[in-house]
Amino acid sequence: MSVSFDRVPCTVITGFLGAGKTTLIRNLIENLKGKRLAIIVNEFGDVGIDGEVLKGCGIESCPEDNIIELANGCICCTVADDFVPAIDQILAREPRVDHILIETSGLALPKPLVQAFQWPDVKARVTVDGVVAVVDGVALAEGRVADDHEALEAQRQMDSSIDHDDPVEEVFEDQVACADMIVLTKTDLLDQASLAAAKGRVQAHLPRAVKIVPAANGSVDPGVLIGLGLAVEDDIENRKTHHDDELDHDHDDFDSFVIDIAAVTDAEALASRISATAEAQNVLRIKGFVEVANKPMRLQVQAVGSRVNHYFDRAWAPGETRQSRLVVIGEKGIDRAAIEKMLAA
């Protein structure tokens, strides 16, 4: 397929909550030598945690000004309001960017976003180099697409009136259906049998031959994912998804909110509270930055279900407000008051 060299290539990176998209992008920008990059980060929630993580890379080829955060809603639902102005902003940069990376929110459907590249004003300037779906190897090996999927699956099986998959499963299937490449993350935590099980679950959802690339800690050779030259916008209508017959879609099956907590004295105790909260309250994801008393460094927290990772990512800047703020994402109807109480305990 012929792609105009005057158009800036764009890679869409999609994937479920906590699968490892931000880690993958950070590794890409650290290893894409010689390319000037721009990144669009779409958060599901009011605080740009993933954008902050990427801005902390300090890589000359991708300066902070080239990282644009869209936190006004899912990018596939707000294409005209958010995505197109972001593209305009990036293409006005000097010197000209060589490649754009888009990290969608965990709830985004890639097809409506790729379809926006068919708009004449966009298509004349940008092309979709490829769509990469990032999937959680550990969860898939255990038969789920998310760490706390058991409750959702049990409810579906027990309710005979439900004759379709739950929304989380549909989001996963739509993301995989649009992908040109699948990155299977967290493979360092899997033995050979579990790795085979995870790959098998993904392959069961693939409507066509798509390469599955194993990755540990988000490490993938950029040459495998970048420079595919597929002009996906010209083929996207052939990629069938659950939402093809819908003029619009929403994410009413999920709730997202921000919780401010006090500075903590024990990072491990906080991690334990987050894990217990996620398990008890059907929370899909908790992420954010936290102040640890008497520590000069900022604590970054990333939780997928009851699995919690935390580490000090950087020093607090002079004069910076030391806020402890967590973004919580879960199934519709999760109990905010109960979650706040458990996190603050």
Side-chain angles (χ1 to χ4, degrees), residues 211-331:
K211 179 72 172 176
I212 299 175
V213 182
N217 300 313
S219 181
V220 177
D221 184 342
V224 175
L225 305 179
I226 304 299
L228 302 181
L230 296 177
V232 181
E233 65 273 14
D234 295 333
D235 181 62
I236 192 64
E237 304 306 331
N238 295 321
R239 306 183 185 192
K240 304 304 179 183
T241 70
H242 289 285
H243 297 83
D244 287 350
D245 296 328
E246 299 178 12
L247 294 177
D248 199 0
H249 73 280
D250 56 45
H251 296 305
D252 288 341
D253 300 294
F254 303 93
D255 279 338
S256 171
F257 49 82
V258 176
I259 292 177
D260 290 310
I261 63 173
V264 302
T265 57
D266 187 337
E268 291 295 338
L270 173 65
S272 295
R273 292 201 302 274
I274 290 174
S275 179
T277 301
E279 187 169 353
Q281 300 296 329
N282 201 27
V283 171
L284 295 171
R285 185 87 190 271
I286 297 177
K287 57 183 179 177
F289 301 111
V290 176
E291 178 188 4
V292 179
N294 301 317
K295 296 287 186 182
M297 304 287 286
R298 184 178 71 174
L299 184 73
Q300 181 178 327
V301 177
Q302 296 273 3
V304 182
S306 59
R307 292 201 309 268
V308 183
N309 291 320
H310 61 91
Y311 55 90
F312 291 103
D313 70 328
R314 67 166 174 82
W316 293 100
E320 180 179 4
T321 301
R322 298 191 176 192
Q323 283 186 310
S324 296
R325 178 165 288 185
L326 299 173
V327 177
V328 178
I329 303 171
E331 293 296 305

Side-chain angles (χ1 to χ4, degrees), residues 35-77:
K35 285 188 180 292
R36 187 169 180 83
L37 304 173
I39 302 173
I40 297 175
V41 182
N42 180 214
E43 299 272 23
F44 187 79
D46 300 324
V47 180
I49 302 302
D50 294 341
E52 279 293 310
V53 172
L54 294 173
K55 287 178 179 179
C57 291
I59 297 172
E60 185 177 352
S61 62
C62 188
E64 286 194 17
D65 287 347
N66 280 19
I67 300 175
I68 298 176
E69 299 171 70
L70 305 181
N72 293 327
C74 172
I75 193 171
C76 63
C77 305

Side-chain angles (χ1 to χ4, degrees), residues 196-217:
K199 286 184 176 180
R201 180 122 198 250
V202 176
Q203 288 166 341
H205 291 290
L206 292 176
R208 65 193 194 286
V210 175
K211 179 72 172 176
I212 299 175
V213 182
N217 300 313

Side-chain angles (χ1 to χ4, degrees), residues 70 78-89 116 119 121-122 125:
L70 305 181
T78 61
V79 167
D81 294 334
D82 291 324
F83 167 67
V84 175
I87 289 292
D88 289 340
Q89 185 178 342
W119 298 357
D121 186 47
V122 176
R125 301 179 294 160

